[in-house]
Amino acid sequence: MKLTTKQLTLCGILTTLALALSVAENQIPLSLAIPIPGIKLGLANIVTVFALYALGPAQAVMILLARCLLGAVFAGNMNALLFSLMGGFAAMGVMILLSRVRALSVYGVSIGGAAAHNCGQIAAAVLSLGNTAPLYYLPILLGVSLLTGALTGLMAACLFRALAHTDLMKG
């Protein structure tokens, strides 16, 4: 896969934006409004959804991998890398598949990605802890993923509309 200078630059900018959104989201005390442990809005996923549609799966995966690795390094928390990678790649795999279903909008793709992300993170917790206790928390996370995935999809749809007059969108 050979990237043009424009594509490479856009990948770098989107990686930086995803990383910045991830860091900013960690500063939001969401637990004050929603007292459910581990709940995040998934703001960086706006960039992931955008990259999937604007650049294609290969570049979106590269951006996701760079964000996960750099996020763990900058946070100084390499233990979180397993959770980030498993959640991120589960979400990306599901979103790639769902984006090919013509009947689904970006909202459905984003909700599917949010649900898959939570499944990936629960799988990481099961592996880390060595028992299945985290599976009991999955229904709560899946319920919340309907809201967070829809919110991410809405923001991505707004981004698509705002950039419709540019040549950033593939095709």
Side-chain angles (χ1 to χ4, degrees), residues 46 106-107 110 148-161:
I46 299 165
V106 67
Y107 297 100
S110 182
T148 58
L151 178 64
T152 301
L154 173 65
M155 288 190 238
C158 290
L159 184 58
F160 294 144
R161 265 185 244 117

Side-chain angles (χ1 to χ4, degrees), residues 14-26 28 40-52 60 63-64 67-68 84 92 95 110 117 148 152 155-156 159:
L14 291 175
T15 300
T16 304
L17 180 59
L19 191 56
L21 286 170
S22 182
V23 169
E25 184 173 15
N26 288 334
I28 299 171
K40 291 179 70 174
L41 295 173
L43 297 178
N45 293 329
I46 299 165
V47 175
T48 304
V49 172
F50 176 80
L52 177 60
I63 292 167
L64 172 69
R67 177 181 57 90
C68 291
S84 184
M92 181 58 72
M95 289 191 304
S110 182
H117 188 274
T148 58
T152 301
M155 288 190 238
L159 184 58

Side-chain angles (χ1 to χ4, degrees), residues 52-72:
L52 177 60
Y53 282 92
L55 298 172
Q59 287 90 342
V61 167
M62 288 185 342
I63 292 167
L64 172 69
L65 180 60
R67 177 181 57 90
C68 291
L69 292 173
L70 290 171

